[in-house]
Amino acid sequence: LYRKTVSTALPTFLLIGPSGGGKTALLTLAERKAVVPTHTSTSPLAIETQLPEDYTPSSAHYRSAGDPSYERARRLLLLDTPGHGKLRHYATKQLIESKNVRGIIFVVDAASVAEEVGLSEAAEYLHDVLLALQKRYTGAKTSKGPKEIPVLIAANKMDLFTALPPHLVEIQLEKAISEVRKNRAKGLKDSGVALGGEDEELEEEREWLGEGGEGSFKFRQMEEVGTGVIVKAGNVLGADGTDVKGWWEWVADQL
Ligand code: GTP
Ligand code: MG
């Protein structure tokens, strides 16, 4: 499944997000420094790569280029996962099992989240990823590896004129996640999954993303469970070339 040469001990960044967002396009750009046509993914794909030269890993600010430890600090693993609804277990599995996940890059098509269907699909997936991170954090006694995993929402396809600007991607996703959160809680109650008394409280606590209360969900709430969430715009493709600077800067900050 994975290429043999890949070293799994490297800091790993997971590419997660709905189908068609541009995860594989971004991975191939990182690997070949060129944009190549992609097909929808059916299995995960890992590549070993390096932080491009224009960026400095946060751990290496005081080291000079040429210093072996400086070069080592630039190495990373990018792990692409399929976005199709039936194949998301690959991403979930990585999230739960990998000791080396340093960050999650949630890639969304900023034009598709301008529409109802695209927005709710992205919000549902992102909700589940954030909930998994929250559970990982609160149940940290049993899980290995760093419990705090930051999330970059890569608002991709900014070259399209229908793309929402990043601050609107953020607002729309927060609103839609508020809806998902409400519906999930309601669904649990209706289906009788939560059994009365203390169990019910426990169950609800476990399943409710972010802070309690009926208010709206904000990405800020994830900081309480060790997950910083930030939205940055970019595009892998485009008539004026690619723009993935903001994303690499974020990766550099995590290294
Ligand atoms: P799954 O593998 O199905 O989960 O999708 P994915 O997220 O890997 O999407 P992929 O990288 O295959 O990209 C989907 C389509 O979007 C491809 O046709 C890409 O060429 C296109 N695409 C990716 N990035 C951009 C971008 O920045 N702008 C535009 N206009 N198209 C892009
Ligand atoms: Mg893909």
Side-chain angles (χ1 to χ4, degrees), residues 8-185:
T8 49
L10 287 174
T12 301
F13 292 84
L14 286 183
L15 294 167
I16 296 187
S19 187
K23 299 178 292 297
T24 308
L26 179 57
L27 178 110
T28 51
L29 176 68
E31 185 180 32
R32 302 183 209 178
K33 316 286 176 254
V35 175
V36 220
T38 55
H39 301 283
T40 189
S41 308
T42 52
S43 59
L45 174 64
I47 62 150
E48 197 180 314
T49 187
Q50 289 206 353
L51 191 64
E53 297 199 346
D54 321 346
Y55 309 89
T56 309
S58 65
S59 62
H61 271 295
Y62 302 104
R63 297 202 180 105
S64 51
D67 180 338
S69 68
Y70 180 84
E71 297 309 319
R72 231 176 295 126
R74 316 184 67 81
R75 294 169 62 208
L76 60 106
L77 207 69
L78 268 183
L79 180 61
D80 182 21
T81 60
H84 188 283
K86 290 189 175 151
L87 299 172
R88 288 180 188 166
H89 54 274
Y90 287 119
T92 326
K93 190 169 181 307
Q94 283 304 317
L95 235 168
I96 295 166
E97 290 181 0
S98 175
K99 295 187 200 76
N100 301 306
V101 178
R102 196 63 70 80
I104 289 173
I105 304 177
F106 189 89
V107 183
V108 283
D109 176 339
S112 104
V113 296
E115 320 240 340
E116 185 105 21
V117 177
L119 178 62
S120 65
E121 202 204 345
E124 269 173 36
Y125 197 3
L126 185 52
H127 170 277
D128 292 352
V129 168
L130 295 178
L131 190 60
L133 290 176
Q134 174 174 312
K135 284 183 187 170
R136 181 190 171 105
Y137 184 88
T138 50
K141 266 162 276 153
T142 50
S143 69
K144 323 151 198 159
K147 52 180 192 164
E148 307 189 359
I149 299 178
V151 176
L152 167 68
I153 298 173
N156 190 27
K157 308 202 186 181
M158 284 297 151
D159 57 302
L160 301 177
F161 82 98
T162 48
L164 290 184
H167 70 280
L168 287 184
V169 170
E170 179 167 354
I171 290 170
Q172 291 296 76
L173 279 174
E174 283 182 337
K175 270 193 213 158
I177 288 174
S178 304
E179 278 306 301
V180 174
R181 174 166 93 155
K182 212 165 67 192
N183 293 338
R184 289 285 165 82

Side-chain angles (χ1 to χ4, degrees), residues 145-255:
K147 52 180 192 164
E148 307 189 359
I149 299 178
V151 176
L152 167 68
I153 298 173
N156 190 27
K157 308 202 186 181
M158 284 297 151
D159 57 302
L160 301 177
F161 82 98
T162 48
L164 290 184
H167 70 280
L168 287 184
V169 170
E170 179 167 354
I171 290 170
Q172 291 296 76
L173 279 174
E174 283 182 337
K175 270 193 213 158
I177 288 174
S178 304
E179 278 306 301
V180 174
R181 174 166 93 155
K182 212 165 67 192
N183 293 338
R184 289 285 165 82
K186 190 170 168 291
L188 268 186
K189 258 187 213 143
D190 291 352
S191 69
V193 167
L195 303 166
E198 269 174 53
D199 283 347
E200 181 170 18
E201 276 166 33
L202 214 77
E203 190 68 42
E204 277 187 28
E205 201 155 62
R206 212 179 293 138
E207 292 296 335
W208 184 259
L209 179 67
E211 285 164 2
E214 296 286 292
S216 47
F217 173 78
K218 300 276 182 237
F219 289 126
R220 233 187 305 112
Q221 295 170 8
M222 293 305 297
E223 280 163 22
E224 301 240 322
V225 290
T227 292
V229 182
I230 188 167
V231 182
K232 287 188 174 207
N235 52 277
V236 179
L237 269 63
D240 301 326
T242 77
D243 177 9
V244 294
K245 285 192 292 291
W247 305 341
W248 278 126
E249 276 164 14
W250 181 85
V251 169
D253 283 347
Q254 317 308 322
L255 280 175

